Amino acid sequence: MVEYHIYPLYKGKPLIPSVAAQREIDQLCADLWLVKRVLEEGHDCARSRRKTNIVEKCLIRKGKEIRAVVALVEWEDKGFWRVVHVGSTGRH
């Protein structure tokens, strides 16, 4: 049986954006597949220590740094990654 997912998977769990994060993704004219790419191919760019269930990664694309922040949410026997923030800045 083939499983189909509406949301892209990161580390075996779906990436589900918060309302604010979806607005940020829309402003960048991006989608959740770009967020997945940032998380998988990007480097750790946390300015400070994050809790163990939070991942922050950055990826340089077209001269800009794209940052994605996700939090692992455990719910009953399942879990998912809540996309908390997606932003783009000029490369420093």
Side-chain angles (χ1 to χ4, degrees):
M1 184 173 139
V2 176
E3 277 191 55
Y4 294 98
H5 298 279
I6 296 172
Y7 298 102
L9 300 179
Y10 173 64
K11 294 186 177 181
K13 298 185 185 315
L15 288 168
I16 301 176
S18 66
V19 173
Q22 185 61 57
R23 280 191 206 114
E24 293 171 342
I25 292 167
D26 292 343
Q27 286 176 349
L28 293 173
C29 298
D31 56 22
L32 287 172
W33 296 101
L34 175 62
V35 174
K36 177 181 176 168
R37 184 172 165 218
V38 170
L39 294 170
E40 291 179 343
E41 299 175 16
H43 61 278
D44 184 23
C45 62
R47 291 185 179 144
S48 60
R49 273 196 118 130
R50 296 276 187 176
K51 292 181 182 177
T52 56
N53 66 327
I54 296 179
V55 176
E56 181 175 357
K57 298 277 185 146
C58 292
L59 182 68
I60 306 301
R61 180 174 175 230
K62 297 181 182 177
K64 302 256 183 187
E65 182 180 69
I66 300 172
R67 178 181 308 259
V69 181
V70 295
L72 181 60
V73 177
E74 296 292 340
W75 183 65
E76 294 183 1
D77 63 339
K78 298 180 182 179
F80 62 93
W81 292 99
R82 170 66 70 199
V83 181
V84 178
H85 171 69
V86 179
S88 176
T89 59
R91 187 163 181 210
H92 301 0

